[in-house]
Amino acid sequence: MPRFGQVLTAMVTPFDKNGELNLDGVRRLAKWLQDNGNDGLVVGGTTGEASTLTDDEKLALFAATVEAVTIPVIAGTVTNDTKHSIHLTKEASKLGIAGILAVGPYYNRPSQAGILAHMKAVCAATTLPVVVYDIPVRTGRKISTASLAKLANEVKNVAALKDASGNPAETAMLMTQVPKSFELLSGDDGLTLPLMSIGATGVIGVATHWTGVDHQEMFKKWNSGDIAGARAVNSRMLESFAYETGDDNPNPLPSKVMMNHLGLDVGEARLPMGPPPSGLAERAEKVFSNLQAARAAATK
């Protein structure tokens, strides 16, 4: 079993009707995810609307999640400000979390040397394992294969990569240059199955909010050598992957609507995401109904 498990969810952050952090909702959602196929949780990430949370809110979110579950909790403590990231990483490391999610520094568009120095400084601020998060579509700067390999080989607590770079061929090259202990985690639901073919041992997903059991089944089939079976399970989830984000309803709007549909009451997203577009709730109901039907058909 991978360090943090096979199936992890980048958890949405529940807010109340006034847009304030809802810690009871955090605990309720975390427990539900643990009970529905998740081996671990990532909080304070992109899906968790980290850029709209204060430091106090983030630390309260981390603590409440750790309190609620027995599975590993990884905390997103890294921003585009290295000094700020170091401070938040140190504070979060006191709360019983299992690891740190370190996203590439966004907006600044630093050089690779700057990215390396930033990541090394964050890693030096904690003894916990660090998952480097490469998502150039949001950060504006790819963490190069050379930089990732350097981090994996030279920084002792760099444990894994959450790969949302959208280039499995390039990631395959990376996996030939890293230690055997280094783990590859898919950060793009639609590319999890392809990434498994080059060594991914897990996923930090979005649709995993409601497809955790399906992902577990896909990994079980893949690991047992049933490739056709794994492809069939992946096909069952394609509608969920298509639903989870889009130009008119970007992540995390669809996931929040889905969780509300399932009775978890996570509220709406904060601005600038804003309220969900009309029709999204009806689409959530259809997506989940179709998923349930596909699950039932697979057991016959």
Side-chain angles (χ1 to χ4, degrees), residues 175-262:
M175 295 307 290
T176 68
Q177 302 172 36
V178 296
K180 290 184 179 179
S181 60
F182 185 78
E183 296 181 2
L184 173 61
L185 303 171
S186 170
D188 185 334
D189 287 343
L191 289 179
T192 299
L193 186 58
L195 287 171
M196 287 163 69
S197 72
I198 60 168
T201 56
V203 59
I204 299 175
V206 176
T208 47
H209 278 89
W210 62 95
T211 63
V213 294
D214 306 282
H215 274 85
Q216 289 287 2
E217 183 182 353
M218 181 172 71
F219 275 103
K220 182 178 180 180
K221 288 182 181 298
W222 177 272
N223 292 334
S224 69
D226 182 5
I227 307 305
R231 289 176 60 192
V233 179
N234 186 70
S235 294
R236 178 198 309 167
M237 297 187 286
L238 291 177
E239 186 179 20
S240 290
F241 300 161
Y243 164 80
E244 71 184 38
T245 193
D247 288 342
D248 294 327
N249 53 331
N251 176 44
L253 297 183
S255 295
K256 285 205 151 182
V257 169
M258 182 65 80
M259 292 297 95
N260 287 330
H261 169 66
L262 297 178

Side-chain angles (χ1 to χ4, degrees), residues 85-129:
S85 302
I86 290 170
H87 166 72
L88 193 57
T89 297
K90 287 180 177 179
E91 292 303 308
S93 296
K94 303 172 184 176
L95 300 177
I97 58 173
I100 297 295
L101 182 74
V103 69
Y106 44 85
Y107 185 74
N108 309 64
R109 291 180 58 81
S111 66
Q112 292 299 315
I115 292 172
L116 276 170
H118 171 84
M119 288 294 181
K120 288 181 177 180
V122 169
C123 292
T126 185
T127 59
L128 294 172

Side-chain angles (χ1 to χ4, degrees), residues 70-86:
T70 58
I71 55 179
V73 176
I74 301 172
T77 60
V78 177
T79 70
N80 64 332
D81 176 345
T82 307
K83 184 177 180 180
H84 180 208
S85 302
I86 290 170

